[in-house]
Amino acid sequence: MAYAYDDQNIFAKILRGEIPNDTVMETEHSLAFRDIRPQAPQHVLVIPKGPYVTFDHFALEASEAEIVDYTRTIGEICKMMGIQPGEGGAGYRTLSNAGEDAVQEVPHLHVHILAGRPLGPMLMRA
Ligand code: DGP
């Protein structure tokens, strides 16, 4: 089944300027802003401006320009946040929840960048 994009989701409203956000970086195809409910001292969300629901949707259907812009934006934010392990930073975690098993709350692709404290095991033990 093809993805149906709900343009009333909260991140679509942020992209249209209907809801304020704490922007970290904006590019032609991407927007990064601070999570409203941070789960680490640094918690940034990176979203594409296009109407993509999940990472697989974006990876399969976005243009190369969008994919390059989005990927580079994530890298630039890691650089800006000073968290790159290869540059003396203490590291970070990127994650993107998709669908019901992952408890995706907002149906617009977002990658979380979490940093600033030890982040524990990758997944909660069942
Ligand atoms: P997820 O479960 O991966 O879909 O996480 C959605 C995240 O979005 C969650 O960490 C809280 C954040 N969030 C929800 N509404 C808003 C909002 O209006 N503004 C901002 N900045 N973040 C939001």
Side-chain angles (χ1 to χ4, degrees):
M1 190 179 77
Y3 282 109
Y5 181 78
D6 170 14
D7 69 4
Q8 293 307 305
N9 78 75
I10 203 94
F11 294 167
K13 291 179 180 177
I14 284 176
L15 285 167
R16 291 195 295 267
E18 295 166 13
I19 292 177
N21 73 92
D22 186 359
T23 297
V24 173
M25 184 179 290
E26 181 167 10
T27 66
E28 183 180 0
H29 295 295
S30 309
L31 180 69
F33 52 92
R34 297 195 189 284
D35 195 292
I36 206 168
R37 296 195 306 270
Q39 296 188 42
Q42 300 197 72
H43 188 168
V44 172
L45 300 172
V46 191
I47 66 174
K49 291 183 175 176
Y52 303 103
V53 179
T54 59
F55 196 91
D56 62 282
H57 188 201
F58 179 75
L60 291 169
E61 295 189 16
S63 68
E64 291 187 10
E66 289 174 302
I67 291 170
V68 169
D69 180 298
Y70 190 63
T71 307
R72 290 262 193 257
T73 298
I74 292 171
E76 290 296 337
I77 290 163
C78 291
K79 190 191 272 188
M80 180 190 290
M81 290 164 76
I83 58 178
Q84 296 169 276
E87 296 291 338
Y92 59 91
R93 180 170 294 154
T94 52
L95 68 89
S96 183
N97 294 314
E100 60 183 315
D101 276 1
V103 197
Q104 181 179 7
E105 179 188 330
V106 182
H108 182 114
L109 168 60
H110 47 288
V111 164
H112 298 254
I113 304 176
L114 298 142
R117 67 167 171 82
L119 295 165
M122 184 169 67
L123 291 176
M124 195 169 59
R125 306 270 182 255

